[in-house]
Amino acid sequence: MAAPLKAVDGNADLQALMSDLATRARAAARVLALAPPEQKNRALEAMERAIRANSAAILAANAEDVAEARASSNMTASFIDRLTLTPARVESMAEGIGIVRGIADPIGIVTESWQRPNGMTIERVRVPLGVVGVIFESRPNVAADAGVLCLKSGNAVILRGGSDSFRSCRAIHDCLVQGLRDAGLPEAAITLVPTRDRAAVGMMLSGLNGAIDVIVPRGGKSLVARVEQEARVPVFAHLEGVNHVYIDASADLAMAKSIVLNAKMRRTGVCGAAETLLVDRAAAGTNLKPLVEMLLEAGCEVRGDDAVQKADARVKPASDDDWDTEYLDAIIAAKVVDGVDGAIAHIQNHGSHHTDAIVSADEVAAKKFLSEVDSAIVLHNASTQFADGGEFGFGAEIGIATGRFHARGPVGAEQLTSFKYRVHGTGQTRP
């Protein structure tokens, strides 16, 4: 299904290849910026059909990637889970494209308009960012999510997937290119870097001579650290998900158990998984033991402070590092805190500004938590696993931005836009 790759022999050839990709992506971005919504939607509809029609080929390519990863002794179960595609996950990919197609086109929307005393009218209008560079690891569905969101928002995208998902990404990319071709849009609008050479990442971080306007990293701590150190273009920061669930004294225990179990164990390897459980000291006598026992019986290792260890002999002592760790595995740190203020203080000291939740029947406590916890996503009586663009109605996401750019939380089509001002006059000159 995939086209043969161009051979890359040495840094000079790779530099030439990346320069060519950047030039074509830049040209494609100019076309996409002016493409009507109907044409972009035709491409998305064709991509959705292609993903479904080629599901078997995508799964076969993914099976090769997974087999290769399993043969490596250092791959964790959570990594394999993120890498693995199933028929249901491929179908979810296709459904996400359909949702993206159905959302309003963000380009050209006038977000604000006002008239000046001299009669000029000023409008603020959404425009594409240009060329987006997405560097991601393990999860091949990111190729589809990033590709279609950039297309919807009028941006070209250069995708550099992880070497472990190389075959899967190529199979998915073929479907995206087919959709572009069917709609008469440039194939370079969604470009996949056709090499596993890690030097390509450095070239993207350099901005490829001004061709890339923004970088979006999706991966582990080492990738994010490299991006922060080397990037010469703006970055939508995507830090690790050291996410907390705080159980307030007023919480309904049945609800708390359901939310904690889902937040931790639904999929342990996703960035929205809970990594720390905080329990209000005022209700620890009734709530702590049932929550800890539930997690242990579900196969989750619990590492706790003294109070949590006393609740169950199977709890392991928590180290200082545990409060700052994104496990991405069936492990959780647990601590007893002094009310909502104690929970907020712990999250402020140890959180990653990703996703944090409170379970509480006390609206005052909930309002305080939602107001004072400075995370991209803050939830009341809901699982942290809702930290996902699809669950927000975006159809897909490029990532969860944890910085303070205009894009924060799930990065969907609207967040991949900037704006410009259009000024309408009738001959005004400035005195």
Side-chain angles (χ1 to χ4, degrees):
M1 181 178 174
L5 294 183
K6 177 181 177 180
V8 178
D9 299 314
N11 192 66
D13 281 353
L14 178 59
Q15 185 71 57
L17 170 65
M18 296 299 291
S19 178
D20 179 58
L21 294 182
T23 299
R24 291 191 286 117
R26 200 78 205 170
R30 290 193 290 272
V31 175
L32 287 184
L34 301 175
E38 298 77 15
Q39 187 177 21
K40 291 186 286 186
N41 284 341
R42 285 200 305 274
L44 291 167
E45 184 177 13
M47 290 173 186
E48 182 182 355
R49 288 197 307 269
I51 291 287
R52 289 196 172 99
N54 293 286
S55 176
I58 293 170
L59 292 170
N62 182 249
E64 292 185 48
D65 284 337
V66 171
E68 187 173 87
R70 289 187 187 280
S72 175
S73 59
N74 62 346
M75 295 303 179
T76 64
S78 59
F79 181 92
I80 296 296
D81 176 64
R82 292 194 298 275
L83 175 62
T84 301
L85 293 174
T86 64
R89 290 179 183 179
V90 174
E91 175 57 26
S92 178
M93 199 187 307
E95 290 175 355
I97 296 173
I99 294 172
V100 170
R101 177 166 49 88
I103 65 176
D105 193 297
I107 301 305
I109 298 296
V110 177
T111 60
E112 196 171 353
S113 177
W114 63 96
Q115 191 169 53
R116 298 292 296 148
N118 63 5
M120 290 193 313
T121 299
I122 303 176
E123 300 172 326
R124 186 160 60 189
V125 187
R126 286 204 191 112
V127 297
L129 296 172
V131 177
V132 180
V134 182
I135 303 169
F136 59 100
E137 298 174 337
S138 69
R139 294 182 65 175
N141 63 290
V142 174
D145 293 350
V148 301
L149 286 171
C150 285
L151 173 64
K152 184 75 176 186
S153 54
N155 297 291
V157 61
I158 299 175
L159 304 167
R160 203 290 182 176
S163 59
D164 302 290
S165 60
F166 191 66
R167 301 176 187 87
S168 308
C169 290
R170 286 181 62 197
I172 293 167
H173 179 250
D174 283 348
C175 297
L176 305 183
V177 169
Q178 182 176 325
L180 292 169
R181 191 183 300 124
D182 288 355
L185 289 170
E187 296 180 17
I190 303 175
T191 296
L192 179 68
V193 176
T195 174
R196 300 189 191 200
D197 193 327
R198 291 180 180 273
V201 174
M203 293 176 187
M204 289 180 66
L205 295 178
S206 74
L208 292 172
N209 296 318
I212 294 180
D213 295 288
V214 65
I215 291 285
V216 182
R218 280 287 298 271
K221 185 180 294 187
S222 61
L223 171 64
V224 173
R226 181 182 179 187
V227 170
E228 290 179 337
Q229 290 171 5
E230 297 182 23
R232 297 293 180 267
V233 293
V235 175
F236 284 173
H238 178 107
L239 297 180
E240 58 192 340
V242 183
N243 307 322
H244 302 74
V245 178
Y246 165 61
I247 309 303
D248 189 53
S250 66
D252 175 80
L253 181 57
M255 179 190 292
K257 290 173 69 175
S258 175
I259 288 174
V260 170
L261 186 64
N262 183 267
K264 176 70 253 186
M265 299 299 288
R266 172 188 166 269
R267 286 189 70 185
T268 60
V270 298
C271 65
E275 305 293 16
T276 301
L277 170 65
L278 302 174
V279 178
D280 191 343
R281 193 179 306 279
T286 56
N287 291 351
L288 182 58
K289 186 176 179 64
L291 288 165
V292 171
E293 287 181 343
M294 173 196 68
L295 287 165
L296 290 165
E297 290 166 7
C300 182
E301 178 183 319
V302 179
R303 301 177 184 177
D305 64 2
D306 289 343
V308 178
Q309 291 174 61
K310 289 175 183 176
D312 195 296
R314 295 170 290 177
V315 174
K316 297 181 178 180
S319 69
D320 290 343
D321 290 341
D322 282 312
W323 309 120
D324 303 301
T325 298
E326 182 186 35
Y327 300 108
L328 297 175
D329 205 345
I331 306 170
I332 195 168
K335 183 178 184 179
V336 173
V337 296
D338 293 318
V340 67
D341 287 315
I344 292 169
H346 180 93
I347 294 168
Q348 180 64 34
N349 290 330
H350 301 284
S352 60
H353 306 291
H354 193 294
T355 301
D356 297 292
I358 179 174
V359 183
S360 176
D362 183 343
E363 291 295 330
V364 174
K367 183 177 180 180
K368 183 179 182 66
F369 187 93
L370 294 176
S371 298
E372 297 186 20
V373 171
D374 183 25
S375 295
I377 303 170
V378 193
L379 307 103
H380 176 208
N381 290 343
S383 169
T384 59
Q385 298 256 347
F386 283 107
D388 178 87
E391 295 297 329
F392 275 52
F394 297 170
E397 68 176 38
I398 281 188
I400 305 290
T402 55
R404 289 178 175 80
F405 270 150
H406 73 285
R408 199 173 191 213
V411 179
E414 182 180 323
Q415 291 72 34
L416 290 170
T417 64
S418 182
F419 59 85
K420 68 179 179 183
Y421 292 100
R422 293 194 306 221
V423 181
H424 303 276
T426 55
Q428 288 89 341
T429 60
R430 185 172 178 177

